Amino acid sequence: MCGIVGYTGSGSATNVLVSGLKRLEYRGYDSAGVALELADGGAPGCTLDVVRSTGKVAGLEEELEAHHSNATCGIGHTRWATHGRPSVKNAHPHTSCDGRIAVVHNGIIENFAELRDELKGRGHQFKSETDTEVFAHLIEEAYDRHRAEPDALMAAVREACTFVVGAYGLAVVCADEPGTIAVARKDSPIVVGCGPDGSYVASDVIALIDATRDVVVLEDGQFACLTPQGIEYTDEQGRSIRPQVTHIDWDIDMAEKGGYPDFMLKEIFEQPRVVRDTLVGRLAATGELDIDELGMTYEELNLVDRVYVIACGTSYHAGLIAKNLIEGWARIPCEVEAASEFRYRNPIITPSTLVVAVSQSGETADTLAAIRDARIKGAKVFGITNVVGSPVARESDGVIYTKANKEIAVASTKSFIGQVVSLTLLALLLGQVKGKLTTGQVRMLFHELGDTAEQIQWVLDTQKEAVHEAALACKDARSALFVGRGMGAAISNEGALKLKEISYLHAEAYAAGEMKHGPIALIDPGFPVIAVATKSPTYDKTVSNLKECEARGARIIAVATEGDEDIRKVADHVIYVPAVRDALSAITATVPLQLLAREVAILRGCDVDQPRNLAKSVTVE
């Protein structure tokens, strides 16, 4: 999500930091900043020049041009807002009270509120709304205690980390120790390496690939001290360690793909992180949901008596899943409409109507037009998007950001999962505000939602062969049918879209119970039918529908719950997912369909990252 770059050596720190931050732009961000060490007129230390801006790295680069810095040491950061809204004051780096220590940080400090109160009580002045600033003040206090030691900065960072509960990738500079960068890692990626001109740190290897191909990926509880001469590694007790060095033989293209053969697979594998990042900071210590971007009071939310979810394409399918959750948990009528249709009819909208606009880019024209129409008619509008400051975000009363980062592959995968998680949060909040869910139920469902990150990873780690075998059954087909019931029916729509979108194989989705009302006539021997048949209240009925397909010679591919051997009596191929509450099954059950679509596309010789070039097939008269 956020990005870290640091450098100390004989070259231009400004150039290294800007170049590295640009390499990390694919991760998505709302602000950027650097802290550069400037010579202090012959004094033993230096001063820190902190430059920050909102928006693109190019804007930061323009500001830095006016500084004419010849700094050879510094740290930089791209931020995606978690604690505190996007602004210059909330952008990294953050500094101590005296401005002598600067910190960049990825991750989340779960106990930041308690630490902040304690530090304020001891006289520290905070300048931002972020959790990260806590680190700057903790290190400042610890540095005063270790000032006489030869490795005072490293000792201070190690001590500060003992107070923090949560995740961190951390890089720190101190004006009293020029040329030194202290680095720490816990549950947030950090990579360090040495090049001919100095030492480097980053949150992603892509930022270092021009400088060195031999890197160390820090493990949890490991620390690194970077100087122009090299890097020293220590554990939590300050004892020297010798970490494993990894040689990177990727080219730039492969580095951008994280070592994966294509962006689509990379983005599918990023989905566990998307789940975690979208949920960060959303559950308060009291057990209630915390969505500070809501833009509506709980009293206003309690007055909502109808919800419209408006979206296009993949986002529309996320809305179909939200309908099940909102009506099930909050007992509010919910309609899902294609934005392109919503704007051209006269829907029933009152001041107690909530319109939820879902858009990956935040720029979808039909969705924006629908938002404007809904606002004119008096509805409250809530946006769900991946892009901070996008038109959908600006024109909505409140917003949830999906934290999916930039998505490059043409088929939306991780953005879809982020949207489903965000909509699930909204459904939980409505259920909580309406009094249909207790605090205990919300807490339990929230933690189960968080567990889907590990469940997705299980699918990715264990079902590769099953997906490949199933894809072979679709490779030479001319059409395919996706079926399911309840939540499975909603997921089937997304599966069909993914298959036709990247493999150019025609596919349709139907509620399984509707098979006998026409579609079953299309089934010939060998026709692929892909079924979402996870354990649910309608499982037996779904199996019954599949037997109808089996009787007509269909080749059946089932997405089923781990341990379900009975499904093999009717299915030719089975892809398993972990057992999960039916209401949350959409997240895990979608992943096999994404993998299947990609595998079929590759078998059919398609480029899974790029859309077909329609220009060659369209004649303009």
Side-chain angles (χ1 to χ4, degrees):
M1 182 57 61
C2 304
I4 286 174
V5 179
Y7 168 74
T8 179
S10 58
S12 167
T14 303
N15 292 344
V16 172
L17 298 183
V18 169
S19 175
L21 293 177
K22 285 182 175 179
R23 283 277 170 80
L24 296 176
E25 284 187 303
Y26 78 94
R27 298 169 64 87
Y29 62 99
D30 54 59
S31 57
V34 299
L36 298 165
E37 293 186 353
L38 305 181
D40 199 5
C46 65
T47 59
L48 298 182
D49 184 19
V50 176
V51 183
R52 303 178 293 181
S53 69
T54 57
K56 299 297 183 183
V57 172
L60 174 68
E61 186 177 19
E62 289 181 6
E63 289 196 33
L64 286 170
E65 287 177 357
H67 286 244
H68 304 291
S69 171
N70 59 356
T72 57
C73 179
I75 52 177
H77 190 268
T78 53
R79 175 182 187 256
W80 192 301
T82 51
H83 289 89
R85 297 180 182 275
S87 66
V88 171
K89 74 173 184 178
N90 288 330
H92 296 215
H94 291 288
T95 58
S96 56
C97 293
D98 59 11
R100 305 288 288 171
I101 291 170
V103 173
V104 292
H105 163 235
N106 287 355
I108 183 78
I109 302 175
E110 295 174 12
N111 62 333
F112 87 98
E114 303 95 287
L115 292 173
R116 187 183 181 104
D117 288 343
E118 291 173 9
L119 287 162
K120 281 185 173 180
R122 295 198 291 269
H124 288 268
Q125 300 294 317
F126 281 76
K127 300 179 282 291
S128 77
E129 303 166 316
T130 69
D131 59 339
T132 296
E133 192 179 352
V134 163
F135 255 127
H137 296 287
L138 286 173
I139 295 168
E140 180 181 28
E141 282 193 349
Y143 191 82
D144 287 339
R145 288 189 287 271
H146 295 277
R147 187 178 294 274
E149 300 174 20
D151 62 343
L153 181 59
M154 285 304 309
V157 169
R158 283 194 295 269
E159 181 179 324
C161 289
T162 65
F163 295 103
V164 170
V165 177
Y168 49 82
L170 192 66
V172 186
V173 291
C174 176
D176 297 328
E177 296 190 23
T180 298
I181 302 176
V183 176
R185 180 251 165 96
K186 181 180 181 294
D187 295 331
S188 187
I190 284 289
V191 181
V192 296
C194 292
D197 299 322
S199 302
Y200 302 79
V201 58
S203 53
D204 191 320
V205 71
I206 189 175
L208 306 187
I209 205 162
D210 283 339
T212 180
R213 296 302 180 99
D214 295 312
V215 301
V216 169
V217 180
L218 289 189
E219 297 181 5
D220 285 351
Q222 291 185 340
F223 298 78
C225 180
L226 281 63
T227 66
Q229 292 73 40
I231 305 174
E232 294 181 358
Y233 303 92
T234 54
D235 63 12
E236 292 168 304
Q237 285 72 46
R239 296 173 298 208
S240 179
I241 59 175
R242 181 172 293 181
Q244 179 180 351
V245 177
T246 301
H247 179 72
I248 304 298
D249 55 8
W250 308 335
D251 57 19
I252 291 298
D253 182 56
M254 284 296 290
E256 290 179 345
K257 295 174 183 174
Y260 293 97
D262 50 77
F263 282 109
M264 183 176 181
L265 188 63
K266 172 182 178 288
E267 288 159 6
I268 288 173
F269 268 78
E270 288 176 343
Q271 291 177 135
R273 178 198 54 74
V274 172
V275 173
R276 296 187 186 100
D277 285 353
T278 302
L279 295 178
V280 162
R282 295 302 187 189
L283 189 67
T286 58
E288 296 181 338
L289 291 177
D290 182 9
I291 303 178
D292 59 1
E293 312 97 323
L294 187 62
M296 298 172 63
T297 65
Y298 281 8
E299 289 75 18
E300 289 174 318
L301 207 57
N302 191 37
L303 294 175
V304 170
D305 59 12
R306 178 189 295 269
V307 177
Y308 285 102
V309 180
I310 54 173
C312 304
T314 286
S315 301
Y316 175 83
H317 299 151
L320 295 177
I321 293 164
K323 174 181 172 68
N324 285 274
L325 300 177
I326 291 170
E327 292 187 343
W329 288 340
R331 309 307 295 161
I332 305 172
C334 180
E335 298 181 44
V336 186
E337 296 210 29
S340 56
E341 293 296 316
F342 186 87
R343 61 182 293 198
Y344 290 115
R345 69 182 195 85
N346 188 25
I348 300 171
I349 291 178
T350 70
S352 57
T353 300
L354 176 63
V355 172
V356 182
V358 187
S359 169
Q360 188 275 336
S361 67
E363 299 176 349
T364 309
D366 286 324
T367 304
L368 281 169
I371 285 175
R372 291 159 186 161
D373 186 56
R375 290 181 69 92
I376 289 171
K377 293 176 178 177
K380 287 286 187 179
V381 177
F382 195 78
I384 292 179
T385 181
N386 190 42
V387 181
V388 173
S390 62
V392 163
R394 293 197 304 269
E395 298 194 30
S396 297
D397 295 294
V399 63
I400 293 178
Y401 292 112
T402 57
K403 306 294 178 66
N405 301 344
K406 185 176 181 179
E407 194 158 47
I408 295 174
V410 64
S412 176
T413 53
K414 62 178 181 174
S415 290
F416 175 78
I417 293 297
Q419 289 170 352
V420 172
V421 173
S422 298
L423 287 163
T424 304
L425 283 174
L426 180 60
L428 282 172
L429 181 63
L430 287 168
Q432 176 180 287
V433 170
K434 290 285 185 179
K436 305 300 182 182
L437 293 176
T438 66
T439 299
Q441 288 173 317
V442 170
R443 185 188 299 113
M444 176 187 67
L445 288 165
F446 182 90
H447 288 307
E448 289 184 13
L449 181 59
D451 290 342
T452 60
E454 292 183 5
Q455 293 159 354
I456 292 172
Q457 193 63 54
W458 183 90
V459 174
L460 297 174
D461 292 341
T462 66
Q463 298 302 296
K464 180 179 180 180
E465 184 176 346
V467 169
H468 179 70
E469 293 298 322
L472 290 172
C474 301
K475 174 179 178 290
D476 298 318
R478 297 183 63 183
S479 188
L481 186 64
F482 286 73
V483 297
R485 280 180 175 263
M487 196 66 82
I491 303 166
S492 294
N493 284 278
E494 178 63 8
L497 175 61
K498 286 292 163 280
L499 189 64
K500 57 192 169 191
E501 190 175 22
I502 59 170
S503 73
Y504 314 120
L505 169 62
H506 175 260
E508 293 297 333
Y510 258 83
E514 292 296 292
M515 288 283 296
K516 55 184 174 289
H517 298 298
I520 203 165
L522 299 173
I523 296 178
D524 295 322
F527 187 99
V529 173
I530 299 96
V532 179
T534 52
K535 291 292 186 179
S536 71
T538 56
Y539 171 79
D540 291 336
K541 293 185 179 295
T542 303
V543 172
S544 177
N545 298 136
L546 293 181
K547 288 181 177 177
E548 296 173 346
C549 301
E550 180 189 34
R552 288 159 176 79
R555 184 169 291 179
I556 298 173
I557 300 165
V559 175
T561 302
E562 181 186 10
D564 181 4
E565 293 300 323
D566 290 338
I567 195 70
R568 293 190 179 276
K569 297 174 183 177
V570 66
D572 299 281
H573 304 277
V574 180
I575 307 170
Y576 284 115
V577 296
V580 65
R581 186 185 297 268
D582 183 47
L584 301 178
S585 62
I587 297 172
T588 50
T590 300
V591 177
L593 302 183
Q594 296 171 343
L595 293 168
L596 179 65
R598 175 186 173 274
E599 193 72 14
V600 172
I602 290 172
L603 290 173
R604 290 166 66 91
C606 302
D607 184 343
V608 299
D609 284 340
Q610 297 296 327
R612 174 177 287 177
N613 183 359
L614 297 178
K616 295 181 180 178
S617 59
V618 176
T619 301
V620 179
E621 297 181 353

